[in-house]
Amino acid sequence: MYIPKLLIVLGSPNTPNGQLGQIALDRVNYCFHLFEQEPKPILCTGGFGNHFNLSPWPHAELLKNKLLQLGVNDDYFLPLALSANTVEDATKSLAILQNYAVATLQIITSNYHLERVKLIFDIILSSWDREYFGVEHVADLPELASLMAHEQKAIAQIKNNGLYY
């Protein structure tokens, strides 16, 4: 089955009881906005990790459940990419995407995360055309400054040492 465009929504922290954080909600809502404009398959990322998900449910399942609540039919979802970090978002997505004839990936993350996502996904998912969407977070997020600092450090490591996966 040929898929002209496919949405990939990257995860971010949720609470231990499975509530999506504001960053994840902003990303999933933007995914739904793009889906409403033009329905297309969706790949949700995120598994478990001390830094983002200590709940009993994979983060990707929480994203999918929110999209189902918003009205996306279950038939639109590809298997979940149960990743623990951004590199795994790409590598686990790659393992799934190799089973489909997809032309263009529409990758949704946050604006502060966009540069690193492009560095990683341009290498690992180079076989596909890629469009990137960096969601702006309008809510006051106290963790944003530390996330931005983490991004700059991670980007510098990739640029200085290359990408290992």
Side-chain angles (χ1 to χ4, degrees):
M1 170 179 152
Y2 175 71
I3 300 171
K5 291 183 182 178
L6 177 128
L7 294 163
I8 299 177
V9 60
L10 303 186
S12 74
N14 55 261
T15 65
N17 68 353
Q19 296 295 311
L20 294 174
Q22 188 59 52
I23 293 171
L25 286 170
D26 289 347
R27 291 178 186 181
V28 82
N29 286 332
Y30 194 82
C31 178
F32 183 68
H33 167 73
L34 291 177
F35 179 85
E36 279 186 311
Q37 291 178 343
E38 179 186 356
K40 60 197 78 131
I42 300 171
L43 194 162
C44 297
T45 71
F48 301 96
N50 289 336
H51 60 290
F52 75 100
N53 183 15
L54 295 173
S55 82
W57 307 279
H59 184 75
E61 184 178 318
L62 300 174
L63 295 174
K64 178 181 175 181
N65 288 343
K66 180 62 176 174
L67 287 162
L68 289 167
Q69 289 173 7
L70 291 170
V72 177
N73 187 293
D74 192 54
D75 295 341
Y76 280 98
F77 291 94
L78 270 62
L80 304 176
L82 302 181
S83 50
N85 55 58
T86 306
V87 172
E88 283 191 7
D89 286 341
T91 58
K92 299 216 180 244
S93 293
L94 172 63
I96 293 166
L97 291 168
Q98 290 174 327
N99 298 309
Y100 298 90
V102 179
T104 302
L105 307 175
Q106 294 184 312
I107 302 156
I108 302 160
T109 188
S110 299
N111 60 338
Y112 72 84
H113 191 224
L114 192 58
E115 183 180 356
R116 183 160 62 110
V117 169
K118 285 181 180 181
L119 283 171
I120 294 166
F121 279 60
D122 282 353
I123 293 168
I124 297 172
L125 299 178
S126 62
S127 298
W128 290 270
D129 290 334
R130 293 162 311 285
E131 297 174 0
Y132 295 96
F133 299 90
V135 176
E136 289 281 341
H137 302 289
V138 294
D140 184 26
L141 302 171
E143 70 271 24
L144 207 50
S146 65
L147 289 169
M148 291 170 71
H150 169 76
E151 287 304 309
Q152 292 310 307
K153 181 179 176 185
I155 289 165
Q157 287 178 325
I158 292 170
K159 288 182 176 179
N160 292 332
N161 304 322
L163 181 65
Y164 297 97
Y165 60 98

